[in-house]
Amino acid sequence: MQNTVTPTHCPYCALQCGMNLTPAADGTVEVGERADFPVNRGALCGKGRTAPQVLASGARLTSPLVRSADGALVPAGWDEALDRIAGGLARTRAERGADAVGVFGGGGLTNEKAYALGKFARVVLGTSQIDYNGRFCMSSAAAAGTKAFGLDRGLPFPLEDVPRTGCVILVGSNPAETMPPSLRYFTELRENGGTLIVVDPRRTRTAEQADLHLAPRPGTDLALALGMLHLVVAEGRVDERYVEERTAGWEEARAAAMAHWPEYVERITGVSVPELREAVRLFCAPEAAMVLTARGPEQQAKGTDTVGAWINLCLATGRAGRPLSGYGCLTGQGNGQGGREHGQKADQLPGYRRLTDPAARLHVAGVWGVDPDSLPGPGRSAYELLDALGTDVRALLLMGSNPVVSAPRAAHVEERIRSLDFLAVCDVVLSETAALADVVLPVTQWAEETGTTTNLEGRVLLRRRAVTPPDGVRGDLEVLHGLADRLGVEKGFPTEPEEVFEELRRASAGGPADYSGIDYRRLGEGNGVFWPCPAPGADGPPHPGTPRLFLDRFATGDGRARFAAVAHRPSAEEPDEAYPVLLTTGRVLAQYQSGAQTRRVAELNAAAPGPFVELHPRLAARLGAAEGDPLAVVSRRGRAVAPARITTGIRPDTVFMPFHWPGEGRANTLTNPALDPTSRMPEFKVCAVRVEVAR
């Protein structure tokens, strides 16, 4: 290896922090600060600093694996492995039809991979059955944002605007642990005289930084937002001129909010009326303010309505489409934003086009060189696709996801995966899902390949190849090329990322997420470009990109934002005599998502070695539980066991479990797959459980 420094980006969360990678003579890779990148300004969390350790041969796959006659996974050559996958997919399609073959992607795939995977499903396989794990991440915020503004982008403004606003309401987010380099923005907000309000049933590390912490009962964020809007109206804080000039649907939304008077909301949420009034005062006092949501309010069976209610609060007070104000979603996965823009989601085509739009089908089919009528329609959402495995969907190609750990009702999902006729998995490591496959392909990861991602701001970035992958490892684009060729499509699946991106540019042109004015040269010379960025005219200058959306008009037909007339309703599963406690789930600082990669890093495992059950001392006393005692948490879907962690930082009616681990401590064994009717997001964040000491 040459001792050269490569500027690139972290493989983990949606910040996509800038970093420098330097290969060392002993084969290791050193991580250095990249202070010029504006998002993290050199700062990295422990996951980013240790990311190259997963590149080591001992932590990752370096040879294809195939299932032998005696049931073991054994090493094989690439031709044999690809032949087996192509044969399994082709056989299922011939015997049961194209929709008996499914494809499941990931929010960590680059834009090029997500684009190629969606094209592969629809052009080569002809299946409608494709979705990705980003459905579990920000789909409710995307649905609500599209309804309200006509366009979904995680943040409609750069993170650099956050410290310059007057107040931020942070709903169901704990960036101190999930994206630590971003915490400085909230610290600087307060240093600049602004205020931070955190809404979370736990007193997290982020909540400890807040001027006001509201701790609602899980599943009641919708009522909380409606109660605040009620007070905005009652106290005469509505920006009447803004509402009249820039919005539609106010009267219906106002009427819905007025049915949620403060005392009623206090009974539902547990947040006192004085706290509600103080939150409204802090939010309305400055000239500019923001509401930022994350998985807390979104991962609910009413997540779209809940986010819509928080957007209503912004609209009624004139805090959207104005400088230093607005609603935004703190996207979770590394390319969660780009991953849903370019075709691996069940209902979308590249450029964030709707699969049901005839004009969109015509445009994309023209780029792909196929008949628009040959493109299948929308398929099942992520959980519905997983639930159909082994029945309607009999073969599955899975890239970059680990649903055995990450999906709701995980024991059932594992059972469905085991019942497949054929499963092929492409991954860096032998995840819990890959261990069940008929064929496992070892693929490159971030530092071993070039490609683009789109961070939570809508900033398109170039991740550069810094090291050579081990022998026996190939890129996902090479995999799709090899499979397409074996399945009779010899052209249209290049292996070079830049060539794929050039086609993506054409496919996205004119769509809501227009990348046509972005190219590798431009990305290589700067710190990213914000979409939409259309291609210039014949003699025009390059489009500068769009860091701030909606300042002139919203992306609706008439340019007006839409209020959502929504009302509180109970969670899909409320506590009862048999299951009297609420469970909520989330992440911890040292692990990431299903932990498939971070659990292979010694430093991270030392900091977070395993699952736990966080509970209040009053609940612990009722159970007779002491710190460290094994607790069994039981829901209608299963049982998980983990040590007790007793803290006053959680509501007495609630327990918390992180979801990074498999086995008996798997939190998602318990979670409820009840789906939001619009976004099809499962209700990860609230379900009814009983807790007992596991003697």
Side-chain angles (χ1 to χ4, degrees), residues 585-604:
T585 64
R587 288 169 48 189
V588 297
L589 176 62
Q591 300 289 353
Y592 182 73
Q593 304 299 70
S594 75
Q597 295 187 38
T598 52
R599 285 187 275 111
R600 287 166 168 79
V601 177
E603 178 182 328
L604 301 179

Side-chain angles (χ1 to χ4, degrees), residues 140 148 302 378:
S140 291
K302 52 182 181 288

